[in-house]
Amino acid sequence: MKLMEHEAKAVFAENGIPVPKGVVVRSLDDLAGALADLPGEFVLKAQVDVGGRGKAGGIRMADRATGVAIATELFAKDIRGCPVREILAEERLLITHEYYASISVDRSTKGALILFADEGGVDIEALARDRPGAVRRAALPPVISRIPSFMERDLVGAAPKEIGQVLQKLYQVFLRKDAMLAEINPLVTTASGVFAADAKLVIDDNALKRQGITLNRELSPREREAEKHGFSYVELDGSIGVIGNGAGLTMATLDLIGFYGGKAANFLDVGGGADQERVKYAVTLVAGVPGVKVIIVNLLGGITRCDDVARGIIEAGVVQPVIVRLAGTNEAEGRALLAAKGYRMLDSMEEAVDAAVEATR
Ligand code: GDP
Ligand code: MN
């Protein structure tokens, strides 16, 4: 999960990284009310979940006289497809130098990869491509709790020692917050000290619970219903309803649908040990989404019994064709029940997906 700049800055500040003084406003009234507390000259920064806001016009210099007018423009803007709902109004920094610092998870070493460049504020990918020598890097194994001094020296080079201290704190944030990425671009020097002028923090989605973060994405009524019943269920925008058991099998089914040129309308993972009632409920739920032309049920029987699955499918009795691939416990009984009712059963997942995609054509 990627935090907004102001959220990331709050985390940085809690961990001792200096950030510019600022306030988040969600309306023009908010800003008008905050003007008295802001310095005479400030920066208005659109809080959107995309990079390169500066280039896209999302970072604007303002003062007490122009602030509201500029904020009006920003709120009306759409930065690379993202509407602007929040603006961070921040003291304007008199920047003397911009550095780049980031720490990310390196999947190959399963440790931390630290990048540092004397030229910040720029697109780091472009810099790494055009002048690889300008980006210094160091890898840390996961057991190390502090950047070793020799490594800090090699990374920051001739930059002021405060920059090295910020890098150490950034590493603390990275560890404490289970981050996939902690980035400051630019990390700036000014006459009054160093500051994280921008902040990016991406938290590992698998650590959200440990971090005490609950996502409140808007669920559709059906998604809420599914959640109540303990199903993993997600709505997409295609025409094939997908039911599987286990995240792996369900995702593999979705991948195959993509490969065959189809598009899923939704997918539901019934989980382990699904009984007749749950299967019936799952099929009914998936079939109830407008635009679902065909349903594919791809289940492996283990604790789940194929005959129970078959009864659930039959009881649901939905109007759309249901294409079934069942394998495992009581497979023969399940197949016999479905065959008697004229359901299409296919032996392999590929055949089943092929048939489902063809049915939508
Ligand atoms: P991004 O474009 O989304 O990465 O947004 P940033 O927050 O990194 O801002 C882009 C650029 O705007 C920075 O590299 C700075 O050059 C400039 N900038 C941002 N804040 C300030 C500020 O307070 N003072 C000055 N002079 N420049 C700023
Ligand atoms: Mn930036």
Side-chain angles (χ1 to χ4, degrees):
M1 186 190 66
K2 185 173 168 211
L3 303 191
M4 287 292 183
E5 176 190 6
H6 70 88
E7 298 167 324
K9 278 181 166 161
V11 173
F12 285 5
E14 280 164 26
N15 286 276
I17 297 175
V19 301
K21 278 196 267 311
V23 53
V24 182
V25 297
R26 295 184 176 80
S27 67
L28 297 174
D29 282 350
D30 276 2
L31 179 65
L35 279 180
D37 298 325
L38 281 166
E41 296 193 316
F42 49 91
V43 194
L44 293 176
K45 309 180 81 176
Q47 299 296 287
V48 286
D49 187 8
V50 291
R53 288 168 306 166
K55 281 199 195 113
I59 312 276
R60 302 278 303 272
M61 302 296 159
D63 56 34
R64 290 212 177 96
T66 61
V68 172
I70 291 173
T72 307
E73 286 176 34
L74 275 181
F75 276 128
K77 242 173 128 59
D78 166 301
I79 314 269
R80 301 194 169 164
C82 291
V84 179
R85 299 208 172 88
E86 298 174 321
I87 294 174
L88 175 60
E90 229 175 42
E91 72 177 294
R92 194 185 299 183
L93 302 171
L94 296 172
I95 298 175
T96 48
H97 194 93
E98 303 193 7
Y99 297 93
Y100 173 91
S102 77
I103 306 177
S104 57
V105 171
D106 180 357
R107 288 179 194 279
S108 59
T109 63
K110 299 186 173 68
L113 175 69
I114 309 174
L115 300 182
F116 187 87
D118 291 318
E119 297 158 61
V122 296
D123 175 1
I124 194 69
E125 280 92 6
L127 183 64
R129 186 182 58 232
D130 301 341
R131 296 197 306 107
V135 183
R136 296 193 284 276
R137 50 184 73 212
L140 268 185
V143 293
I144 304 290
S145 63
R146 186 181 175 281
I147 303 171
S149 305
F150 78 89
M151 209 175 251
E152 180 190 320
R153 262 196 314 275
D154 288 349
L155 284 162
V156 304
K161 69 172 193 316
E162 290 80 6
I163 295 288
Q165 288 161 1
V166 168
L167 197 61
Q168 288 290 359
K169 285 171 182 156
L170 189 64
Y171 186 57
Q172 293 308 314
V173 168
F174 176 79
L175 293 180
R176 285 181 193 148
K177 293 293 167 183
D178 292 310
M180 299 298 287
L181 172 71
E183 182 189 77
I184 308 178
N185 185 27
L187 168 58
V188 305
T189 50
T190 70
S192 48
V194 304
F195 292 94
D198 192 6
K200 197 156 148 187
L201 191 57
V202 180
I203 295 180
D204 185 344
D205 285 336
N206 295 307
L208 294 183
K209 194 160 189 182
R210 178 157 77 181
Q211 290 294 337
I213 298 170
T214 40
L215 293 179
N216 42 10
R217 182 174 74 89
E218 285 286 329
L219 297 181
S220 79
R222 257 180 304 269
E223 286 175 325
R224 265 201 301 279
E225 192 61 25
E227 192 177 84
K228 256 195 272 164
H229 287 80
F231 293 124
S232 307
Y233 174 75
V234 174
E235 294 191 341
L236 306 163
D237 61 356
S239 55
I240 304 175
V242 178
I243 296 172
N245 59 344
L249 185 67
T250 310
M251 291 301 133
T253 311
L254 287 172
D255 285 348
L256 262 189
I257 288 173
F259 178 76
Y260 279 90
K263 254 184 134 180
N266 52 18
F267 63 89
L268 184 151
D269 171 5
V270 290
D275 61 11
Q276 184 175 333
E277 273 308 301
R278 284 177 71 74
V279 171
K280 176 185 168 190
Y281 184 80
V283 174
T284 310
L285 188 102
V286 164
V289 177
V292 171
K293 290 192 195 151
V294 57
I295 293 159
I296 177 168
V297 178
N298 183 14
L299 294 177
L300 287 182
I303 299 170
T304 303
R305 290 168 31 186
C306 294
D307 54 331
D308 277 349
V309 171
R311 286 192 198 93
I313 294 171
I314 293 164
E315 268 194 27
V318 297
V319 294
Q320 298 96 327
V322 182
I323 293 169
V324 186
R325 184 253 176 165
L326 277 178
T329 312
N330 292 2
E331 183 178 325
E333 291 88 331
R335 282 174 172 254
L337 287 167
L338 288 166
K341 296 282 179 188
Y343 281 90
R344 255 187 105 182
M345 273 167 297
L346 292 156
D347 292 335
S348 74
M349 178 155 149
E350 277 146 73
E351 289 168 289
V353 167
D354 195 358
V357 173
E358 286 305 314
T360 64
R361 292 221 160 102

